[in-house]
């Protein structure tokens, strides 16, 4: 009998679900060519891609990071900047999103001027004010070609209550290629900052209502704000 009960407790413990990994869905948006694919690739693969083509629809990149002993899956949605490649996907970008990264290219004043339109798109998709937004000026390795001053970008960021990061997906340690300047933010640090912010905003909820369960019951049509979503279920692909 004693043997039986120890067997069943062994079976029970081995059938427990493995520790869950929360998913933070972060969308990266901005004009075509600003470097969204390169930035997300740099964060997830750790290097600048050899070659990129215009993104069609969306590409997903994921990286599991650890914050305070908790494993978190950062799921980056590398969206298409070209209208014709994004229009059928836009509503999926914004569904259950946890944070938004706006990207402009420091060598393109036009990409900076487009930012209000990207912010407006977020508004139209009813993104809650609690969803963190950050502003990233990319291609800082080409400072000598810069068309957007840090001061101007900072004013814009302040006006929209966003932190500003200036970086380079190509040379994330900053500065001109081969030069000595070292003023850019590291790509890794930027996404880690977002993840830290999300983690502090969404403390891990313990209890029977597990993330796996919620993911299963979450309906495609269900719209809820990330604040309501205590367990951060995110879809794993285009819906
Ligand atoms: N010098 C420099 N070039 C970059 C950097 N980031 C991206 N690029 C280049 O900019 C071009 C566009 O980069 P992508 O990452 O494909 O741009 P995107 O924003 O994803 O464009 P879409 O997919 O069309 O929306 C490519 O030729 C990249 O090599 C950077 O930090 N520095
Ligand atoms: Mg792209």
């Amino acid at each position: 009998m004693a043997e039986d009960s120890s067997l069943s407790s062994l079976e029970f413990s081995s059938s427990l679900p493995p520790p869950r990994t929360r998913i933070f869905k972060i969308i990266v948006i901005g004009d075509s060519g600003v470097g969204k694919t390169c930035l997300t690739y740099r964060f997830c693969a750790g290097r600048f891609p050899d070659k990129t083509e215009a993104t069609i629809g969306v590409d997903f990149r994921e990286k599991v990071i650890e914050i305070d002993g908790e494993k978190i899956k950062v799921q980056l949605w590398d969206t298409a900047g070209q209208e014709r490649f994004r229009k059928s996907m836009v509503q999926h970008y914004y569904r259950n999103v946890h944070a938004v990264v706006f990207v402009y290219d420091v060598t393109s004043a036009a990409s900076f001027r487009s930012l209000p339109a990207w912010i407006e798109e977020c508004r139209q998709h009813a993104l809650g004010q609690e969803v963190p937004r950050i502003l990233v000026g990319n291609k800082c390795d080409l400072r000598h070609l810069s068309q957007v001053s840090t001061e101007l970008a900072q004013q814009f960021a302040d006006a929209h209550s966003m932190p500003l990061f200036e970086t380079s997906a190509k040379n994330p340690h900053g500065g001109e290629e081969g030069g000595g300047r070292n003023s850019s933010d590291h790509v890794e640090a930027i996404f880690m900052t977002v993840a830290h912010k999300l983690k502090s905003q969404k403390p891990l909820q313990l209890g029977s209502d597990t993330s796996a369960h919620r993911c299963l019951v979450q309906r495609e049509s269900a719209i809820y704000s990330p604040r309501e979503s205590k367990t951060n279920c995110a879809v794993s692909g285009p819906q």
Side-chain angles (χ1 to χ4, degrees), residues 59-103:
D59 284 332
F60 302 97
R61 308 217 154 75
E62 289 187 343
K63 183 169 175 172
V64 177
I65 58 167
E66 199 169 312
I67 304 178
D68 301 334
E70 185 194 346
K71 283 198 166 43
I72 289 170
K73 191 177 280 182
V74 175
Q75 184 181 68
L76 299 181
W77 285 49
D78 167 23
T79 70
Q82 285 190 48
E83 179 60 21
R84 66 189 164 131
F85 292 149
R86 70 196 317 278
K87 59 179 176 219
S88 60
M89 288 294 296
V90 179
Q91 80 228 42
H92 301 286
Y93 297 160
Y94 291 98
R95 184 176 296 151
N96 304 333
V97 68
H98 297 117
V100 182
V101 175
F102 296 97
V103 185

Side-chain angles (χ1 to χ4, degrees), residues 37 53-55 78-79:
T37 296
E53 282 170 5
T55 304
D78 167 23
T79 70

Side-chain angles (χ1 to χ4, degrees), residues 209-231:
D209 189 7
T210 64
S211 136
H213 174 68
R214 282 200 172 201
C215 286
L216 281 173
V217 297
Q218 182 186 328
R219 287 178 177 274
E220 175 152 339
S221 59
I223 296 174
Y224 58 94
S225 78
R227 187 180 277 273
E228 287 158 9
S229 160
K230 298 188 181 93
T231 47

